[in-house]
Amino acid sequence: MSASNPFDQFDLNGSTALITGASKGIGKSIARSLGQQGAHVIISSRNQETLDQVKQEFIDQGIDCTAIAAKIGDPLSMQDLMEASLKQQGGVHILVNNAAANPSFGPLLKTDQAVFDKILEVNLKGPLELAKMCYPGMKEAGWGSVINISSVGG
């Protein structure tokens, strides 16, 4: 009796996954895994040049990929990301909110208000707004998944 691949049950052909913070680390690995399961992956981070390198790496591995730079937490940039995603893929079925910011280390009592605002914009408000932007397409498709990544430090 042969052992089956546990990933065989996760056939994502015909779906689109948007992964933020996907130019390195956890986000890149998640994007690769979703692409290997058949999803068209839209990778996003702040730097288009870096994204283009990851996109080429994925394409060389047989992964269907689009790369769109965006600043999570910036409403106009996120709107541009969603418009480009809709134009190129027609919608997003899987949203992985992986991008995060931690511009300050140390005691919260010593954190500058502007730094704290940035943390809230990128780590909380941005993911919520992206999920709200993805919802109509998920509803129309009859399914969707929003995955929020956090750290123990959060």
Side-chain angles (χ1 to χ4, degrees):
M1 183 177 232
S2 66
S4 66
N5 182 345
F7 290 106
D8 288 344
Q9 63 183 318
F10 298 109
D11 180 3
L12 297 175
N13 284 298
S15 65
T16 299
L18 169 60
I19 305 93
T20 65
S23 64
K24 62 184 176 181
I26 293 170
K28 181 179 176 182
S29 293
I30 291 170
R32 179 184 291 112
S33 294
L34 293 172
Q36 288 170 337
Q37 295 310 122
H40 176 92
V41 292
I42 300 172
I43 56 173
S44 186
S45 72
R46 293 174 293 176
N47 185 293
Q48 187 66 50
E49 184 177 328
T50 303
L51 284 171
D52 289 340
Q53 292 171 359
V54 173
K55 175 184 173 181
Q56 189 57 55
E57 179 184 326
F58 283 1
I59 288 170
D60 292 346
Q61 295 171 7
I63 295 170
D64 192 17
C65 183
T66 302
I68 305 170
K71 293 180 181 177
I72 305 307
D74 176 343
L76 292 176
S77 186
M78 290 188 304
Q79 187 63 44
D80 289 346
L81 170 62
M82 284 309 303
E83 287 176 7
S85 298
L86 289 170
K87 182 178 180 182
Q88 293 182 27
Q89 292 301 310
V92 172
H93 304 101
I94 303 164
L95 170 63
V96 180
N97 285 310
N98 176 66
N102 187 12
S104 174
F105 295 96
L108 185 61
L109 293 174
K110 294 183 179 182
T111 301
D112 179 71
Q113 182 68 43
V115 170
F116 189 67
D117 287 344
K118 180 176 177 99
I119 292 169
L120 292 178
E121 291 293 327
V122 175
N123 298 356
L124 296 175
K125 291 181 180 180
L128 173 63
E129 291 305 312
L130 275 179
K132 287 166 48 178
M133 289 178 201
C134 289
Y135 175 74
M138 291 176 177
K139 182 177 180 183
E140 184 178 322
W143 76 281
S145 182
V146 177
I147 303 163
N148 295 309
I149 307 295
S150 183
S151 72
V152 69

